Amino acid sequence: MTEKALKPFTIDFDLITGLSKSTESTKRPLSKMQGMFADDRAFNAALQQDDPLVYEFYELDLPETAGNLLFGTSIVYPGKVGDEYYMTKGHFHTILDTGEVYYCLSGEGAMLMENPEGDCNIQYFSPGKAVYVPPCYAHRTINLGKEPLVTFFTFRADAGHDYGTIETKGYRKLIVERDGKPEIIDNPKWKE
Ligand SMILES: [Fe+2]
């Protein structure tokens, strides 16, 4: 991390696409989402056809120090695997007791949250809505619309990411399309 990064600066994020010309995004194509969706057969069939981008995010290269903030945009593209909507992997923070705020710039979707005690919660995104993720809640962004779901996020810079717990256990709930509408169901693959 450079000294320069600690000086004030301004960065552009496109309000509709979330993209930024001044930095590189981290990309998660379908091939990086093995095991994340409930329907493995639909996943493998989709991957045989193509390897579309499911989501990408811009997280700026700032010092991960106490007192600092990380921020960026997350872009989840529209689509489904079987009847399950495209989503992020979701994560806890390594410092579990970390809150986070997401603000929706464009698109429609949901934030699926759960804590280690099993409390599950879903909040919905549309442009102008902010979702508060309380400390200790895993969080996953899900695109329920037809356009990219673009959110701006910020959280304490030293919090770190724990993807492994979700990759291993999954979420207790997931969101699928039923009769053209989103429905919350129990995750058949969830492991205690
Ligand atoms: Fe987070």
Side-chain angles (χ1 to χ4, degrees), residues 59 91-93 98-100 102 133 137 139 153 155 160-161 163:
E59 191 171 87
H91 58 268
F92 287 97
H93 289 280
T98 295
E100 185 161 354
Y102 282 75
V133 179
Y137 278 76
H139 37 290
F153 60 84
F155 63 101
H161 289 92
Y163 290 103

Side-chain angles (χ1 to χ4, degrees), residues 131-169:
V131 170
Y132 170 60
V133 179
C136 304
Y137 278 76
H139 37 290
R140 160 180 287 168
T141 309
I142 303 169
N143 189 334
L144 303 178
K146 293 187 166 56
E147 307 295 329
L149 172 62
V150 180
T151 52
F152 176 93
F153 60 84
T154 186
F155 63 101
R156 62 183 282 183
D158 59 345
H161 289 92
D162 164 18
Y163 290 103
T165 303
I166 295 299
E167 283 171 347
T168 308
K169 289 165 66 93

Side-chain angles (χ1 to χ4, degrees), residues 10-139:
T10 301
I11 184 167
D12 286 321
F13 292 114
D14 188 282
L15 287 173
I16 304 301
T17 66
L19 304 176
S20 175
K21 291 194 182 89
S22 49
T23 185
E24 284 287 307
S25 71
T26 301
K27 293 178 169 58
R28 297 263 197 257
L30 194 61
S31 55
K32 292 255 177 82
M33 297 290 282
Q34 185 83 47
M36 304 307 296
F37 292 96
D39 188 340
D40 286 316
R41 201 188 318 180
F43 176 88
N44 290 325
L47 201 53
Q48 296 256 312
Q49 301 292 313
D50 199 6
D51 190 15
L53 193 55
V54 176
Y55 70 99
E56 60 186 312
F57 57 91
Y58 292 86
E59 191 171 87
L60 305 189
D61 186 22
L62 290 166
E64 296 180 6
T65 50
N68 199 12
L69 292 170
L70 295 187
F71 70 96
T73 50
S74 161
I75 303 137
V76 184
Y77 292 97
K80 291 197 295 284
V81 172
D83 55 8
E84 189 175 7
Y85 296 94
Y86 275 10
M87 62 194 184
T88 63
K89 284 188 168 188
H91 58 268
F92 287 97
H93 289 280
T94 310
I95 298 177
L96 188 60
D97 190 17
T98 295
E100 185 161 354
V101 168
Y102 282 75
Y103 181 73
C104 182
L105 301 176
S106 65
E108 304 283 336
M111 180 68 91
L112 178 65
M113 292 169 273
E114 70 173 53
N115 70 4
E117 287 72 44
D119 183 47
C120 300
N121 193 286
I122 291 177
Q123 300 293 321
Y124 292 92
F125 284 122
S126 57
K129 286 209 168 137
V131 170
Y132 170 60
V133 179
C136 304
Y137 278 76
H139 37 290

